[in-house]
Amino acid sequence: MTTYDDTEANGMNERGALLDFPGADELATAGHVEPLSERALARVLAEVEAAVATEGVTGGKVAVATVTPIRRLTGRRRALIGLLTTAAVATGVVTYANSGASSAGTGTGTGTHSEARANTVSVFLDDISTVAASQSASSGKYWRDRTTVGDSYISQSMDQYFVINGKTSKKGQHPDWQLGPKDLDWNGLNQLTTEPAKLLALLQTPPRPKSISPFDQAASLLTESPAGPKLRAGLFKAMAGLKGVKLVGQVKDSTGRGGTAVEFAEAKSVGRVIVDPKTSAILEYTFTWTAGPSKGKVTHHTVLSAGFTDKIG
């Protein structure tokens, strides 16, 4: 028969140790709770694994994972796991917490468990895909982006106009949007496949000269183009399939709005999008140079609102 060490000096028993977290009393008295779906359970496990992995980071190094009796967990970790469990069971909602990456411009982290992070970013983008697909389709003569700099209008013939401080000016043709080997105008977007696997295959096509990264291609379409709900949903899922895409977690954009950040690091730069998880809208796209002559330079494209309109101004 297996015997156990005595519990801590305060006399807490095994059950007490297990339920020693905020909200445990409410959970214990809630009665019968329907079991979590496999998808929800996967989300909870990914979050707990990421949180525990983050807890194990010390001095810039990741500690070796060990199985620890619950009663020996630190109060902070016990509370953390308790909060995640209670939230998941009581509401079915899992917060996409910061997975150990920095909220600074480059977003370089301190060694979170890579597998947990990968699982989490995949789940998040899959959920955002569902949100995007649920948005109502609309149409108009122009696609308008309202930014912190001014308003941009793109016509169906790809003419581009800017309204800054109340003054309207035409700036010629908007460049086609790039998707792997394709250059897409407004009509091309409407004819593009919306299947995530096909979109991913296009994004992963070997780059042409002066191509932007696959992540930047997807981010540009999601941020600046009149892509419909189904195409946006497919792009989010395709983005999840790009190797190296990471979930940063909850951040604020340059205007103070909260959202969830996803980023992609290349040899000399980091691209980041901040997504509103309620609407799937891109709040901000950030490009940061991490090497070369422009090292440290950060470019923000902050979108206050975007949508179709029939007139300029």
Side-chain angles (χ1 to χ4, degrees), residues 266-303:
E266 296 188 272
K268 296 183 179 180
S269 63
V270 173
R272 170 186 288 191
V273 290
I274 301 177
V275 186
D276 182 343
K278 295 181 180 179
T279 66
S280 81
I282 304 296
L283 302 178
E284 187 169 79
Y285 171 69
T286 304
F287 188 85
T288 304
W289 289 99
T290 56
S294 300
K295 182 178 180 179
K297 182 179 179 180
V298 182
T299 302
H300 296 275
H301 181 77
T302 307
V303 181

PDB file of all heavy atoms in Angstrom, residues 266-303:
ATOM      1  N   GLU A 266      11.230  36.916 -38.303  1.00  0.00           N
ATOM      2  CA  GLU A 266      12.137  36.535 -39.373  1.00  0.00           C
ATOM      3  C   GLU A 266      13.560  36.853 -38.936  1.00  0.00           C
ATOM      4  O   GLU A 266      13.798  37.266 -37.799  1.00  0.00           O
ATOM      5  CB  GLU A 266      11.777  37.279 -40.657  1.00  0.00           C
ATOM      6  CG  GLU A 266      10.409  36.922 -41.203  1.00  0.00           C
ATOM      7  CD  GLU A 266      10.187  37.539 -42.566  1.00  0.00           C
ATOM      8  OE1 GLU A 266       9.719  38.688 -42.621  1.00  0.00           O
ATOM      9  OE2 GLU A 266      10.505  36.870 -43.566  1.00  0.00           O
ATOM     10  N   ALA A 267      14.492  36.699 -39.845  1.00  0.00           N
ATOM     11  CA  ALA A 267      15.895  36.904 -39.503  1.00  0.00           C
ATOM     12  C   ALA A 267      16.176  38.332 -39.051  1.00  0.00           C
ATOM     13  O   ALA A 267      16.968  38.565 -38.140  1.00  0.00           O
ATOM     14  CB  ALA A 267      16.776  36.548 -40.698  1.00  0.00           C
ATOM     15  N   LYS A 268      15.510  39.310 -39.675  1.00  0.00           N
ATOM     16  CA  LYS A 268      15.819  40.705 -39.378  1.00  0.00           C
ATOM     17  C   LYS A 268      14.609  41.521 -38.936  1.00  0.00           C
ATOM     18  O   LYS A 268      14.716  42.743 -38.779  1.00  0.00           O
ATOM     19  CB  LYS A 268      16.447  41.377 -40.608  1.00  0.00           C
ATOM     20  CG  LYS A 268      17.789  40.787 -41.018  1.00  0.00           C
ATOM     21  CD  LYS A 268      18.381  41.553 -42.189  1.00  0.00           C
ATOM     22  CE  LYS A 268      19.743  40.991 -42.585  1.00  0.00           C
ATOM     23  NZ  LYS A 268      20.345  41.736 -43.730  1.00  0.00           N
ATOM     24  N   SER A 269      13.486  40.880 -38.728  1.00  0.00           N
ATOM     25  CA  SER A 269      12.295  41.646 -38.387  1.00  0.00           C
ATOM     26  C   SER A 269      11.268  40.785 -37.669  1.00  0.00           C
ATOM     27  O   SER A 269      11.344  39.557 -37.676  1.00  0.00           O
ATOM     28  CB  SER A 269      11.665  42.238 -39.658  1.00  0.00           C
ATOM     29  OG  SER A 269      11.230  41.197 -40.514  1.00  0.00           O
ATOM     30  N   VAL A 270      10.313  41.473 -37.055  1.00  0.00           N
ATOM     31  CA  VAL A 270       9.179  40.819 -36.405  1.00  0.00           C
ATOM     32  C   VAL A 270       7.905  41.529 -36.839  1.00  0.00           C
ATOM     33  O   VAL A 270       7.804  42.754 -36.735  1.00  0.00           O
ATOM     34  CB  VAL A 270       9.291  40.868 -34.865  1.00  0.00           C
ATOM     35  CG1 VAL A 270       8.010  40.328 -34.217  1.00  0.00           C
ATOM     36  CG2 VAL A 270      10.491  40.063 -34.388  1.00  0.00           C
ATOM     37  N   GLY A 271       6.944  40.771 -37.347  1.00  0.00           N
ATOM     38  CA  GLY A 271       5.634  41.319 -37.672  1.00  0.00           C
ATOM     39  C   GLY A 271       4.632  40.913 -36.608  1.00  0.00           C
ATOM     40  O   GLY A 271       4.695  39.806 -36.086  1.00  0.00           O
ATOM     41  N   ARG A 272       3.741  41.810 -36.266  1.00  0.00           N
ATOM     42  CA  ARG A 272       2.742  41.519 -35.231  1.00  0.00           C
ATOM     43  C   ARG A 272       1.390  42.094 -35.627  1.00  0.00           C
ATOM     44  O   ARG A 272       1.301  43.208 -36.138  1.00  0.00           O
ATOM     45  CB  ARG A 272       3.163  42.109 -33.887  1.00  0.00           C
ATOM     46  CG  ARG A 272       2.081  42.057 -32.815  1.00  0.00           C
ATOM     47  CD  ARG A 272       2.450  42.760 -31.535  1.00  0.00           C
ATOM     48  NE  ARG A 272       3.451  42.035 -30.784  1.00  0.00           N
ATOM     49  CZ  ARG A 272       3.795  42.339 -29.521  1.00  0.00           C
ATOM     50  NH1 ARG A 272       3.225  43.347 -28.902  1.00  0.00           N
ATOM     51  NH2 ARG A 272       4.718  41.619 -28.909  1.00  0.00           N
ATOM     52  N   VAL A 273       0.332  41.326 -35.392  1.00  0.00           N
ATOM     53  CA  VAL A 273      -1.023  41.845 -35.517  1.00  0.00           C
ATOM     54  C   VAL A 273      -1.707  41.750 -34.161  1.00  0.00           C
ATOM     55  O   VAL A 273      -1.499  40.794 -33.412  1.00  0.00           O
ATOM     56  CB  VAL A 273      -1.856  41.087 -36.577  1.00  0.00           C
ATOM     57  CG1 VAL A 273      -1.359  41.386 -37.972  1.00  0.00           C
ATOM     58  CG2 VAL A 273      -1.880  39.592 -36.304  1.00  0.00           C
ATOM     59  N   ILE A 274      -2.475  42.778 -33.843  1.00  0.00           N
ATOM     60  CA  ILE A 274      -3.300  42.779 -32.639  1.00  0.00           C
ATOM     61  C   ILE A 274      -4.747  42.622 -33.092  1.00  0.00           C
ATOM     62  O   ILE A 274      -5.256  43.432 -33.866  1.00  0.00           O
ATOM     63  CB  ILE A 274      -3.119  44.066 -31.820  1.00  0.00           C
ATOM     64  CG1 ILE A 274      -1.649  44.226 -31.407  1.00  0.00           C
ATOM     65  CG2 ILE A 274      -4.018  44.044 -30.579  1.00  0.00           C
ATOM     66  CD1 ILE A 274      -1.363  45.518 -30.656  1.00  0.00           C
ATOM     67  N   VAL A 275      -5.384  41.567 -32.619  1.00  0.00           N
ATOM     68  CA  VAL A 275      -6.718  41.195 -33.070  1.00  0.00           C
ATOM     69  C   VAL A 275      -7.739  41.456 -31.969  1.00  0.00           C
ATOM     70  O   VAL A 275      -7.483  41.162 -30.793  1.00  0.00           O
ATOM     71  CB  VAL A 275      -6.764  39.697 -33.455  1.00  0.00           C
ATOM     72  CG1 VAL A 275      -8.107  39.343 -34.071  1.00  0.00           C
ATOM     73  CG2 VAL A 275      -5.626  39.344 -34.393  1.00  0.00           C
ATOM     74  N   ASP A 276      -8.878  41.998 -32.351  1.00  0.00           N
ATOM     75  CA  ASP A 276     -10.000  42.100 -31.427  1.00  0.00           C
ATOM     76  C   ASP A 276     -10.684  40.736 -31.401  1.00  0.00           C
ATOM     77  O   ASP A 276     -11.309  40.336 -32.391  1.00  0.00           O
ATOM     78  CB  ASP A 276     -10.978  43.174 -31.902  1.00  0.00           C
ATOM     79  CG  ASP A 276     -12.158  43.370 -30.943  1.00  0.00           C
ATOM     80  OD1 ASP A 276     -12.400  42.483 -30.104  1.00  0.00           O
ATOM     81  OD2 ASP A 276     -12.839  44.402 -31.056  1.00  0.00           O
ATOM     82  N   PRO A 277     -10.592  39.975 -30.308  1.00  0.00           N
ATOM     83  CA  PRO A 277     -11.147  38.614 -30.297  1.00  0.00           C
ATOM     84  C   PRO A 277     -12.666  38.568 -30.390  1.00  0.00           C
ATOM     85  O   PRO A 277     -13.232  37.528 -30.704  1.00  0.00           O
ATOM     86  CB  PRO A 277     -10.654  38.034 -28.962  1.00  0.00           C
ATOM     87  CG  PRO A 277     -10.356  39.220 -28.113  1.00  0.00           C
ATOM     88  CD  PRO A 277      -9.924  40.316 -29.036  1.00  0.00           C
ATOM     89  N   LYS A 278     -13.334  39.688 -30.159  1.00  0.00           N
ATOM     90  CA  LYS A 278     -14.800  39.700 -30.233  1.00  0.00           C
ATOM     91  C   LYS A 278     -15.305  39.856 -31.663  1.00  0.00           C
ATOM     92  O   LYS A 278     -16.387  39.389 -31.993  1.00  0.00           O
ATOM     93  CB  LYS A 278     -15.358  40.831 -29.364  1.00  0.00           C
ATOM     94  CG  LYS A 278     -15.100  40.651 -27.873  1.00  0.00           C
ATOM     95  CD  LYS A 278     -15.704  41.801 -27.088  1.00  0.00           C
ATOM     96  CE  LYS A 278     -15.451  41.634 -25.587  1.00  0.00           C
ATOM     97  NZ  LYS A 278     -16.023  42.778 -24.822  1.00  0.00           N
ATOM     98  N   THR A 279     -14.509  40.538 -32.510  1.00  0.00           N
ATOM     99  CA  THR A 279     -14.974  40.833 -33.867  1.00  0.00           C
ATOM    100  C   THR A 279     -14.069  40.268 -34.956  1.00  0.00           C
ATOM    101  O   THR A 279     -14.456  40.267 -36.123  1.00  0.00           O
ATOM    102  CB  THR A 279     -15.077  42.349 -34.076  1.00  0.00           C
ATOM    103  OG1 THR A 279     -13.754  42.928 -34.008  1.00  0.00           O
ATOM    104  CG2 THR A 279     -15.952  42.994 -33.014  1.00  0.00           C
ATOM    105  N   SER A 280     -12.867  39.863 -34.625  1.00  0.00           N
ATOM    106  CA  SER A 280     -11.830  39.400 -35.541  1.00  0.00           C
ATOM    107  C   SER A 280     -11.157  40.548 -36.284  1.00  0.00           C
ATOM    108  O   SER A 280     -10.297  40.322 -37.138  1.00  0.00           O
ATOM    109  CB  SER A 280     -12.354  38.370 -36.559  1.00  0.00           C
ATOM    110  OG  SER A 280     -13.020  38.995 -37.650  1.00  0.00           O
ATOM    111  N   ALA A 281     -11.508  41.795 -35.980  1.00  0.00           N
ATOM    112  CA  ALA A 281     -10.909  42.949 -36.656  1.00  0.00           C
ATOM    113  C   ALA A 281      -9.442  43.097 -36.241  1.00  0.00           C
ATOM    114  O   ALA A 281      -9.070  42.840 -35.090  1.00  0.00           O
ATOM    115  CB  ALA A 281     -11.670  44.219 -36.304  1.00  0.00           C
ATOM    116  N   ILE A 282      -8.608  43.495 -37.191  1.00  0.00           N
ATOM    117  CA  ILE A 282      -7.207  43.800 -36.883  1.00  0.00           C
ATOM    118  C   ILE A 282      -7.147  45.227 -36.357  1.00  0.00           C
ATOM    119  O   ILE A 282      -7.474  46.183 -37.066  1.00  0.00           O
ATOM    120  CB  ILE A 282      -6.312  43.655 -38.126  1.00  0.00           C
ATOM    121  CG1 ILE A 282      -6.438  42.255 -38.728  1.00  0.00           C
ATOM    122  CG2 ILE A 282      -4.866  43.965 -37.765  1.00  0.00           C
ATOM    123  CD1 ILE A 282      -5.949  41.139 -37.840  1.00  0.00           C
ATOM    124  N   LEU A 283      -6.745  45.386 -35.112  1.00  0.00           N
ATOM    125  CA  LEU A 283      -6.641  46.708 -34.513  1.00  0.00           C
ATOM    126  C   LEU A 283      -5.354  47.411 -34.939  1.00  0.00           C
ATOM    127  O   LEU A 283      -5.349  48.627 -35.154  1.00  0.00           O
ATOM    128  CB  LEU A 283      -6.681  46.609 -32.984  1.00  0.00           C
ATOM    129  CG  LEU A 283      -7.913  45.937 -32.377  1.00  0.00           C
ATOM    130  CD1 LEU A 283      -7.783  45.878 -30.863  1.00  0.00           C
ATOM    131  CD2 LEU A 283      -9.182  46.670 -32.780  1.00  0.00           C
ATOM    132  N   GLU A 284      -4.291  46.627 -35.042  1.00  0.00           N
ATOM    133  CA  GLU A 284      -2.999  47.243 -35.367  1.00  0.00           C
ATOM    134  C   GLU A 284      -2.052  46.214 -35.963  1.00  0.00           C
ATOM    135  O   GLU A 284      -2.039  45.054 -35.545  1.00  0.00           O
ATOM    136  CB  GLU A 284      -2.377  47.852 -34.104  1.00  0.00           C
ATOM    137  CG  GLU A 284      -1.121  48.659 -34.325  1.00  0.00           C
ATOM    138  CD  GLU A 284      -0.716  49.433 -33.075  1.00  0.00           C
ATOM    139  OE1 GLU A 284      -0.126  48.804 -32.159  1.00  0.00           O
ATOM    140  OE2 GLU A 284      -1.007  50.635 -32.999  1.00  0.00           O
ATOM    141  N   TYR A 285      -1.301  46.663 -36.942  1.00  0.00           N
ATOM    142  CA  TYR A 285      -0.220  45.849 -37.501  1.00  0.00           C
ATOM    143  C   TYR A 285       1.082  46.586 -37.220  1.00  0.00           C
ATOM    144  O   TYR A 285       1.210  47.781 -37.491  1.00  0.00           O
ATOM    145  CB  TYR A 285      -0.392  45.644 -38.999  1.00  0.00           C
ATOM    146  CG  TYR A 285       0.810  44.989 -39.649  1.00  0.00           C
ATOM    147  CD1 TYR A 285       1.122  43.660 -39.373  1.00  0.00           C
ATOM    148  CD2 TYR A 285       1.647  45.702 -40.495  1.00  0.00           C
ATOM    149  CE1 TYR A 285       2.229  43.059 -39.941  1.00  0.00           C
ATOM    150  CE2 TYR A 285       2.757  45.100 -41.070  1.00  0.00           C
ATOM    151  CZ  TYR A 285       3.043  43.781 -40.793  1.00  0.00           C
ATOM    152  OH  TYR A 285       4.148  43.183 -41.349  1.00  0.00           O
ATOM    153  N   THR A 286       2.055  45.872 -36.657  1.00  0.00           N
ATOM    154  CA  THR A 286       3.341  46.464 -36.287  1.00  0.00           C
ATOM    155  C   THR A 286       4.471  45.702 -36.958  1.00  0.00           C
ATOM    156  O   THR A 286       4.482  44.469 -36.970  1.00  0.00           O
ATOM    157  CB  THR A 286       3.548  46.427 -34.757  1.00  0.00           C
ATOM    158  OG1 THR A 286       2.463  47.079 -34.126  1.00  0.00           O
ATOM    159  CG2 THR A 286       4.840  47.112 -34.360  1.00  0.00           C
ATOM    160  N   PHE A 287       5.399  46.438 -37.490  1.00  0.00           N
ATOM    161  CA  PHE A 287       6.587  45.845 -38.109  1.00  0.00           C
ATOM    162  C   PHE A 287       7.816  46.417 -37.413  1.00  0.00           C
ATOM    163  O   PHE A 287       8.011  47.633 -37.367  1.00  0.00           O
ATOM    164  CB  PHE A 287       6.623  46.162 -39.604  1.00  0.00           C
ATOM    165  CG  PHE A 287       7.704  45.435 -40.356  1.00  0.00           C
ATOM    166  CD1 PHE A 287       7.494  44.151 -40.840  1.00  0.00           C
ATOM    167  CD2 PHE A 287       8.945  46.026 -40.567  1.00  0.00           C
ATOM    168  CE1 PHE A 287       8.485  43.480 -41.532  1.00  0.00           C
ATOM    169  CE2 PHE A 287       9.938  45.358 -41.260  1.00  0.00           C
ATOM    170  CZ  PHE A 287       9.716  44.081 -41.746  1.00  0.00           C
ATOM    171  N   THR A 288       8.636  45.535 -36.846  1.00  0.00           N
ATOM    172  CA  THR A 288       9.814  45.952 -36.094  1.00  0.00           C
ATOM    173  C   THR A 288      11.074  45.358 -36.699  1.00  0.00           C
ATOM    174  O   THR A 288      11.168  44.137 -36.869  1.00  0.00           O
ATOM    175  CB  THR A 288       9.702  45.500 -34.621  1.00  0.00           C
ATOM    176  OG1 THR A 288       8.502  46.011 -34.057  1.00  0.00           O
ATOM    177  CG2 THR A 288      10.904  45.993 -33.815  1.00  0.00           C
ATOM    178  N   TRP A 289      12.047  46.224 -37.003  1.00  0.00           N
ATOM    179  CA  TRP A 289      13.344  45.747 -37.480  1.00  0.00           C
ATOM    180  C   TRP A 289      14.183  45.321 -36.279  1.00  0.00           C
ATOM    181  O   TRP A 289      14.332  46.075 -35.308  1.00  0.00           O
ATOM    182  CB  TRP A 289      14.071  46.835 -38.258  1.00  0.00           C
ATOM    183  CG  TRP A 289      13.474  47.127 -39.599  1.00  0.00           C
ATOM    184  CD1 TRP A 289      12.632  48.141 -39.941  1.00  0.00           C
ATOM    185  CD2 TRP A 289      13.667  46.344 -40.786  1.00  0.00           C
ATOM    186  NE1 TRP A 289      12.283  48.058 -41.265  1.00  0.00           N
ATOM    187  CE2 TRP A 289      12.899  46.969 -41.814  1.00  0.00           C
ATOM    188  CE3 TRP A 289      14.405  45.202 -41.090  1.00  0.00           C
ATOM    189  CZ2 TRP A 289      12.858  46.472 -43.110  1.00  0.00           C
ATOM    190  CZ3 TRP A 289      14.357  44.710 -42.383  1.00  0.00           C
ATOM    191  CH2 TRP A 289      13.605  45.333 -43.376  1.00  0.00           C
ATOM    192  N   THR A 290      14.719  44.109 -36.328  1.00  0.00           N
ATOM    193  CA  THR A 290      15.515  43.589 -35.218  1.00  0.00           C
ATOM    194  C   THR A 290      17.002  43.476 -35.561  1.00  0.00           C
ATOM    195  O   THR A 290      17.807  43.096 -34.718  1.00  0.00           O
ATOM    196  CB  THR A 290      15.000  42.198 -34.797  1.00  0.00           C
ATOM    197  OG1 THR A 290      15.011  41.322 -35.934  1.00  0.00           O
ATOM    198  CG2 THR A 290      13.573  42.304 -34.254  1.00  0.00           C
ATOM    199  N   ALA A 291      17.370  43.796 -36.789  1.00  0.00           N
ATOM    200  CA  ALA A 291      18.775  43.731 -37.213  1.00  0.00           C
ATOM    201  C   ALA A 291      18.960  44.644 -38.425  1.00  0.00           C
ATOM    202  O   ALA A 291      17.987  45.130 -39.009  1.00  0.00           O
ATOM    203  CB  ALA A 291      19.181  42.296 -37.559  1.00  0.00           C
ATOM    204  N   GLY A 292      20.227  44.871 -38.778  1.00  0.00           N
ATOM    205  CA  GLY A 292      20.510  45.692 -39.949  1.00  0.00           C
ATOM    206  C   GLY A 292      20.504  47.174 -39.639  1.00  0.00           C
ATOM    207  O   GLY A 292      20.372  47.594 -38.477  1.00  0.00           O
ATOM    208  N   PRO A 293      20.636  48.016 -40.666  1.00  0.00           N
ATOM    209  CA  PRO A 293      20.732  49.458 -40.473  1.00  0.00           C
ATOM    210  C   PRO A 293      19.511  50.083 -39.813  1.00  0.00           C
ATOM    211  O   PRO A 293      19.604  51.118 -39.169  1.00  0.00           O
ATOM    212  CB  PRO A 293      20.887  50.016 -41.900  1.00  0.00           C
ATOM    213  CG  PRO A 293      21.108  48.854 -42.803  1.00  0.00           C
ATOM    214  CD  PRO A 293      20.726  47.617 -42.076  1.00  0.00           C
ATOM    215  N   SER A 294      18.345  49.453 -39.984  1.00  0.00           N
ATOM    216  CA  SER A 294      17.105  49.996 -39.409  1.00  0.00           C
ATOM    217  C   SER A 294      16.741  49.361 -38.078  1.00  0.00           C
ATOM    218  O   SER A 294      15.599  49.514 -37.606  1.00  0.00           O
ATOM    219  CB  SER A 294      15.952  49.801 -40.402  1.00  0.00           C
ATOM    220  OG  SER A 294      16.184  50.459 -41.625  1.00  0.00           O
ATOM    221  N   LYS A 295      17.669  48.657 -37.456  1.00  0.00           N
ATOM    222  CA  LYS A 295      17.392  47.958 -36.205  1.00  0.00           C
ATOM    223  C   LYS A 295      16.752  48.896 -35.186  1.00  0.00           C
ATOM    224  O   LYS A 295      17.224  49.991 -34.937  1.00  0.00           O
ATOM    225  CB  LYS A 295      18.680  47.364 -35.628  1.00  0.00           C
ATOM    226  CG  LYS A 295      18.461  46.570 -34.342  1.00  0.00           C
ATOM    227  CD  LYS A 295      19.761  45.973 -33.835  1.00  0.00           C
ATOM    228  CE  LYS A 295      19.536  45.184 -32.545  1.00  0.00           C
ATOM    229  NZ  LYS A 295      20.798  44.578 -32.043  1.00  0.00           N
ATOM    230  N   GLY A 296      15.668  48.425 -34.590  1.00  0.00           N
ATOM    231  CA  GLY A 296      14.952  49.205 -33.592  1.00  0.00           C
ATOM    232  C   GLY A 296      13.823  50.051 -34.145  1.00  0.00           C
ATOM    233  O   GLY A 296      12.978  50.543 -33.395  1.00  0.00           O
ATOM    234  N   LYS A 297      13.756  50.214 -35.456  1.00  0.00           N
ATOM    235  CA  LYS A 297      12.700  51.016 -36.057  1.00  0.00           C
ATOM    236  C   LYS A 297      11.384  50.237 -36.029  1.00  0.00           C
ATOM    237  O   LYS A 297      11.344  49.064 -36.392  1.00  0.00           O
ATOM    238  CB  LYS A 297      13.055  51.380 -37.496  1.00  0.00           C
ATOM    239  CG  LYS A 297      12.018  52.262 -38.172  1.00  0.00           C
ATOM    240  CD  LYS A 297      12.432  52.617 -39.596  1.00  0.00           C
ATOM    241  CE  LYS A 297      11.372  53.483 -40.275  1.00  0.00           C
ATOM    242  NZ  LYS A 297      11.758  53.846 -41.663  1.00  0.00           N
ATOM    243  N   VAL A 298      10.322  50.917 -35.612  1.00  0.00           N
ATOM    244  CA  VAL A 298       9.014  50.280 -35.502  1.00  0.00           C
ATOM    245  C   VAL A 298       7.996  51.073 -36.326  1.00  0.00           C
ATOM    246  O   VAL A 298       7.933  52.300 -36.215  1.00  0.00           O
ATOM    247  CB  VAL A 298       8.537  50.206 -34.043  1.00  0.00           C
ATOM    248  CG1 VAL A 298       7.183  49.500 -33.948  1.00  0.00           C
ATOM    249  CG2 VAL A 298       9.563  49.509 -33.171  1.00  0.00           C
ATOM    250  N   THR A 299       7.244  50.374 -37.139  1.00  0.00           N
ATOM    251  CA  THR A 299       6.185  50.996 -37.933  1.00  0.00           C
ATOM    252  C   THR A 299       4.838  50.490 -37.455  1.00  0.00           C
ATOM    253  O   THR A 299       4.635  49.283 -37.347  1.00  0.00           O
ATOM    254  CB  THR A 299       6.351  50.673 -39.433  1.00  0.00           C
ATOM    255  OG1 THR A 299       7.628  51.131 -39.878  1.00  0.00           O
ATOM    256  CG2 THR A 299       5.266  51.350 -40.244  1.00  0.00           C
ATOM    257  N   HIS A 300       3.925  51.413 -37.151  1.00  0.00           N
ATOM    258  CA  HIS A 300       2.583  51.052 -36.697  1.00  0.00           C
ATOM    259  C   HIS A 300       1.559  51.403 -37.766  1.00  0.00           C
ATOM    260  O   HIS A 300       1.590  52.499 -38.332  1.00  0.00           O
ATOM    261  CB  HIS A 300       2.205  51.818 -35.419  1.00  0.00           C
ATOM    262  CG  HIS A 300       3.059  51.511 -34.236  1.00  0.00           C
ATOM    263  ND1 HIS A 300       2.819  50.454 -33.401  1.00  0.00           N
ATOM    264  CD2 HIS A 300       4.163  52.131 -33.750  1.00  0.00           C
ATOM    265  CE1 HIS A 300       3.734  50.431 -32.441  1.00  0.00           C
ATOM    266  NE2 HIS A 300       4.551  51.440 -32.632  1.00  0.00           N
ATOM    267  N   HIS A 301       0.668  50.495 -38.037  1.00  0.00           N
ATOM    268  CA  HIS A 301      -0.507  50.780 -38.869  1.00  0.00           C
ATOM    269  C   HIS A 301      -1.707  50.483 -37.987  1.00  0.00           C
ATOM    270  O   HIS A 301      -2.097  49.319 -37.808  1.00  0.00           O
ATOM    271  CB  HIS A 301      -0.524  49.903 -40.129  1.00  0.00           C
ATOM    272  CG  HIS A 301      -1.697  50.164 -41.019  1.00  0.00           C
ATOM    273  ND1 HIS A 301      -1.790  51.254 -41.847  1.00  0.00           N
ATOM    274  CD2 HIS A 301      -2.857  49.459 -41.195  1.00  0.00           C
ATOM    275  CE1 HIS A 301      -2.936  51.224 -42.511  1.00  0.00           C
ATOM    276  NE2 HIS A 301      -3.607  50.137 -42.134  1.00  0.00           N
ATOM    277  N   THR A 302      -2.275  51.535 -37.409  1.00  0.00           N
ATOM    278  CA  THR A 302      -3.354  51.381 -36.444  1.00  0.00           C
ATOM    279  C   THR A 302      -4.685  51.701 -37.106  1.00  0.00           C
ATOM    280  O   THR A 302      -4.889  52.807 -37.605  1.00  0.00           O
ATOM    281  CB  THR A 302      -3.136  52.316 -35.239  1.00  0.00           C
ATOM    282  OG1 THR A 302      -1.823  52.110 -34.711  1.00  0.00           O
ATOM    283  CG2 THR A 302      -4.165  52.047 -34.157  1.00  0.00           C
ATOM    284  N   VAL A 303      -5.578  50.710 -37.119  1.00  0.00           N
ATOM    285  CA  VAL A 303      -6.870  50.845 -37.793  1.00  0.00           C
ATOM    286  C   VAL A 303      -7.948  51.166 -36.758  1.00  0.00           C
ATOM    287  O   VAL A 303      -8.231  50.368 -35.874  1.00  0.00           O
ATOM    288  CB  VAL A 303      -7.236  49.550 -38.552  1.00  0.00           C
ATOM    289  CG1 VAL A 303      -8.562  49.715 -39.269  1.00  0.00           C
ATOM    290  CG2 VAL A 303      -6.134  49.180 -39.533  1.00  0.00           C
TER     291      VAL A 303
END
